[in-house]
Amino acid sequence: MKTQVAIIGAGPSGLLLGQLLHKAGIDNIIIERQSPDYVLGRIRAGILEQITVDLLHEAGVGQRVASEGTVHHSIELVYKNTRHPIDVTGLTGGSVVTAYGQTEVTRDLMEARAAAGLTTIYSAANVSIHDFDGKTPTVKYEVDSQSKEISCDFIAGCDGFHGVCRASVPRDAIREYEKVYPFGWLGVLADVPPVSSHAIVYANHERGFALCSMRSLTRSRYYVQCPLDDKVEDWSDQRFWDELRLRLDPEMASRIITGPSIEKSIAPLRSFVAEPMRFGRLFLAGDAAHIVPPTGAKGLNLAASDVKYLANALTEHYIEHTDAGIDNYSQKALARVWRAERFSWWLTSLMHRFPDTEGFGQKVQEAELEYLVRSEAASRTLAENYVGLPLDFGQ
Ligand code: FAD
Ligand code: DHB
């Protein structure tokens, strides 16, 4: 088989890139290790920046996020049993974020891809990439134990943190930056109305961080900070709801509606960046190149901005016959990546309890929270990062 762009991975990065390239008339094939049901079963992100929503419209899949997404104008910070609203829209001159699940984004993109008759190879085993430092890269894989090969002009590595693309780059051509946090997030999804449908709630409590989010007006997503070695089996639904209530202010705690969990998982927290994001005819995008801790909801949004830069660069290559975009891709994407890395690290540091924050660190964290909610300048800094910096910020 032959194509212009072979995309490895059918997560949000790969599917969105495929759709944007298709709109520009560029042929592409997606090769995914898992089945469609498995991909749709992963419960992850839920908060979309306007840039991401705009991209979904550009890709022709904006209808459902427009009608079913919930627009948020503020966030709420909770500490010392008190809630502090941050008027995100007021502080940013009108910007909003939208609560709409990654699962739904993925579903919309999958359906559009199927409707356009584009090729996606699911359940591909032993995917490997070759010759991306030459002129004719190839992708090899197996389906039903049969070996297959695709030759292409470019490979887009959209295969997440544990994918094959970053791992295929020679060690001396890549530099990795990493920070691992000493705790995880226990997440629960439940079909109950969210305690706050107009704002995400971030709580800093002596028992640890808690977050109240949502997927729709009838589906809630809640998280509590937990030790890294905790197991999901340690957490009955009852234990989770009790712990969540303890970490919120009493009024909000009294309004939590509980129900059976439909998903429960523990995610470790990590900051990670691989530089550069281009190696000859291989490009990395999304979690394949970088990870942020989930505090601040930047991961999916960063994946979307990488894809926007990459789709533009490839469109310029094929339509305008200039490689300036391709040559600038890594630098452009990384500039935005590091801004989101900084924000996610900062919000994680501000809102969690660290094993060593008994003394000085704890006092400084409290002082920063007090400053944040009392200073309009500090609140604005939080708000403008939360809604997402413009795609051309500092470019
Ligand atoms: P992935 O979603 O990981 O997709 C990669 C795809 O590649 C997968 O389908 C995988 O099966 C496939 N693949 C892997 N290896 C291979 C291979 N060898 N061959 C072929 N295919 C392969 N982000 C936000 O913006 N907002 C949030 O609110 C938010 N909350 C989060 C909450 C949690 C608990 C977690 C864990 C993450 C959250 N994120 C959030 C992050 C967000 O989910 C990720 O950044 C996003 O999934 C990245 O998309 P991706 O397509 O780059 O990677
Ligand atoms: C989610 C929402 C957030 O605002 C966040 O910071 C992290 C995760 C979520 O809905 O999954």
Side-chain angles (χ1 to χ4, degrees):
M1 259 192 296
K2 244 178 124 51
T3 189
Q4 289 175 304
V5 182
I7 301 173
I8 315 297
S13 308
L15 288 165
L16 183 59
L17 179 64
Q19 213 55 28
L20 292 172
L21 292 180
H22 169 64
K23 290 263 162 198
I26 300 167
D27 190 41
N28 64 84
I29 295 177
I30 299 185
I31 304 103
E32 162 64 50
R33 170 163 77 175
Q34 306 288 359
S35 67
D37 284 348
Y38 185 95
V39 171
L40 281 174
R42 287 189 299 232
I43 308 298
R44 287 179 167 180
I47 301 297
L48 307 183
E49 294 173 4
Q50 191 58 42
I51 285 171
T52 307
V53 173
D54 291 346
L55 267 177
L56 294 177
H57 283 286
E58 193 179 324
V61 295
Q63 211 180 335
R64 232 159 48 90
V65 67
S67 61
E68 294 176 29
T70 308
V71 170
H72 285 183
H73 299 278
S74 60
I75 55 180
E76 304 231 37
L77 299 183
V78 181
Y79 71 99
K80 291 196 176 154
N81 280 338
T82 308
R83 241 178 297 149
H84 303 270
I86 307 275
D87 174 12
V88 167
T89 301
L91 288 162
T92 56
S95 297
V96 299
V97 297
T98 302
Y100 188 70
Q102 178 168 330
T103 314
E104 304 311 313
V105 171
T106 309
R107 191 191 309 281
D108 295 344
L109 286 162
M110 271 183 177
E111 283 176 5
R113 190 165 177 87
L118 305 178
T119 308
T120 313
I121 295 146
Y122 283 101
S123 307
N126 296 323
V127 177
S128 60
I129 61 171
H130 306 269
D131 300 329
F132 48 84
D133 48 352
K135 276 211 158 9
T136 45
T138 53
V139 179
K140 296 182 183 171
Y141 60 96
E142 289 162 25
V143 172
D144 298 331
S145 303
Q146 296 225 334
S147 300
K148 310 269 181 189
E149 186 169 322
I150 299 175
S151 60
C152 55
D153 300 337
F154 297 102
I155 298 174
C158 299
D159 50 348
F161 185 63
H162 299 288
V164 68
C165 290
R166 192 181 73 253
S168 302
V169 175
R171 288 292 87 193
D172 59 359
I174 195 164
R175 175 146 187 211
E176 296 179 349
Y177 301 83
E178 185 172 43
K179 180 172 175 57
V180 177
Y181 299 84
F183 40 73
W185 275 20
L186 168 69
V188 158
L189 190 71
D191 276 332
V192 290
V195 68
S196 162
S197 59
H198 66 282
I200 302 296
V201 180
Y202 292 85
N204 178 325
H205 189 272
E206 62 195 29
R207 299 180 67 88
F209 171 74
L211 186 145
C212 306
S213 183
M214 58 182 285
R215 292 294 175 269
S216 70
L217 295 174
T218 54
R219 181 168 285 188
S220 299
R221 181 65 164 163
Y222 295 118
Y223 300 94
V224 294
Q225 174 185 349
C226 68
L228 263 180
D229 51 4
D230 269 18
K231 303 273 169 290
V232 169
E233 305 75 64
D234 301 335
W235 287 86
S236 66
D237 286 1
Q238 190 58 48
R239 181 177 172 208
F240 177 83
W241 294 119
D242 290 346
E243 189 62 40
L244 177 65
R245 283 199 188 100
L246 283 171
R247 297 183 188 191
L248 300 174
D249 65 281
E251 192 279 330
M252 184 170 275
S254 72
R255 285 193 288 106
I256 291 267
I257 301 175
T258 65
S261 63
I262 51 176
E263 195 263 0
K264 200 187 281 165
S265 52
I266 294 180
L269 269 68
R270 182 195 305 269
S271 300
F272 173 89
V273 182
E275 291 192 352
M277 287 170 62
R278 175 205 175 186
F279 309 88
R281 288 174 171 261
L282 168 67
F283 302 94
L284 301 180
D287 279 16
H290 42 74
I291 297 287
V292 287
T295 338
K298 288 288 164 239
L300 173 58
N301 293 299
L302 265 191
S305 54
D306 286 355
V307 162
K308 170 69 176 161
Y309 296 137
L310 185 53
N312 284 356
L314 290 168
T315 305
E316 281 169 32
H317 170 84
Y318 284 109
I319 313 292
E320 294 162 28
H321 306 291
T322 158
D323 280 350
I326 283 179
D327 292 339
N328 282 336
Y329 167 69
S330 180
Q331 198 190 348
K332 206 170 186 170
L334 282 167
R336 185 173 167 81
V337 166
W338 277 111
R339 286 181 203 116
E341 290 283 346
R342 184 208 65 79
F343 175 67
S344 308
W345 158 80
W346 169 76
L347 196 57
T348 301
S349 309
L350 181 71
M351 297 309 296
H352 291 74
R353 291 296 164 129
F354 286 74
D356 59 355
T357 46
E358 280 303 310
F360 186 81
Q362 179 59 34
K363 285 290 188 186
V364 168
Q365 198 189 58
E366 286 170 18
E368 184 157 15
L369 276 164
E370 294 287 344
Y371 173 61
L372 181 61
V373 298
R374 280 174 181 73
S375 156
E376 189 177 309
S379 296
R380 179 169 291 121
T381 300
L382 167 61
E384 79 168 354
N385 281 278
Y386 186 68
V387 299
L389 296 171
L391 274 172
D392 58 358
F393 185 91
Q395 306 278 342

